[in-house]
Every structure is written in structure tokens, then in C-alpha cells.
Amino acid sequence: MLKKFLCSITLLWAAAASGAVDVNKATAADLDSVKGIGPSLSGKILDERKKSNFKDWPDFISRVKGMGDKNAAKFSSEGLTVNGSSLKGDAPAAKAPAAPAPAGAAASTAAPAAVKK
């Protein structure tokens, strides 16, 4: 019975330890536990967080020097979250697609018509 109890406690501890690390709640040690984040980057994250919490992934990427889209995607896949949300896709949501041209407007990328002389 004692072995089963200890096994259950160990499994619960392991599940809790492998959970997501939120940048707005994490300590330096928590951030360092994410693969690819070392003391230098965790220090930058904590310094920026002292100013104010991160709102979302685009805010996090823009405020932390050295944090780009690729690193954000890598860290998100390793369990890093911002306000409990992982980065969806390879690019942050801040990069919105270009708005479509108004109806009836000529496309600016169209090749010019040939002019006969």
C-alpha cells in the first residue's frame, strides 16, 4: 500500500513539474527550466516584466530583446506561455494579413498593358 501511495505522489509531482511555465508568474529558475532559456534571457524577461506584465505573445516578443518569432515558437513548444496561452502557429498574431483592395480598384501589382504606336 505504501508503494502505491509513493508512486502516486511521484506521478503527481512529475505531472506538475512538466506543466507550462507562464512568463508573468515564473521565477528565474522556472524560466531557466525551459529548454533554450538561460540566465541571460530569463533576466531580460524578468526585467521587462517588472515594468508591467506581458499582455500577449506579440507584446512579449516586442519587449524582450533577442526574442524573435522563431525563438517564441520554439519556447512555446517547450511549454512557455503568456497569460496561459501558447503561441499558435509559427508567427505571432500581431502580423495581420494585408487588407484586400476595394472593389473596382485596379490591382497595383498588375503588369502594365502593352501600348501600340
Side-chain angles (χ1 to χ4, degrees), residues 1-2 4 7 16 33 42 46-47 64 67 86 96 99-100 106 108 110 113:
M1 181 69 175
L2 181 61
K4 288 182 180 180
C7 183
S33 72
S42 65
L46 293 175
D47 288 344
V64 178
M67 180 63 59
S86 61
S108 61

Side-chain angles (χ1 to χ4, degrees), residues 55-103:
K55 294 181 279 188
D56 51 20
W57 277 96
D59 181 41
F60 175 68
I61 292 168
S62 67
R63 289 174 47 197
V64 178
K65 185 174 180 171
M67 180 63 59
D69 295 343
K70 289 181 182 179
N71 278 339
K74 181 176 74 171
F75 297 146
S76 178
S77 69
E78 293 294 332
L80 190 68
T81 64
V82 178
N83 288 328
S85 297
S86 61
L87 181 66
K88 292 164 180 64
D90 292 333
K95 292 186 178 181

Side-chain angles (χ1 to χ4, degrees), residues 21-52 54 60 63-67 71 75 80:
V21 176
D22 193 295
V23 295
N24 287 324
K25 299 174 185 172
T27 64
D30 293 336
L31 292 169
D32 288 344
S33 72
V34 175
K35 185 178 178 183
I37 297 181
S40 175
L41 186 55
S42 65
K44 291 176 186 177
I45 293 169
L46 293 175
D47 288 344
E48 280 299 319
R49 189 177 73 190
K50 285 178 188 175
K51 297 174 186 175
S52 67
F54 299 103
F60 175 68
R63 289 174 47 197
V64 178
K65 185 174 180 171
M67 180 63 59
N71 278 339
F75 297 146
L80 190 68

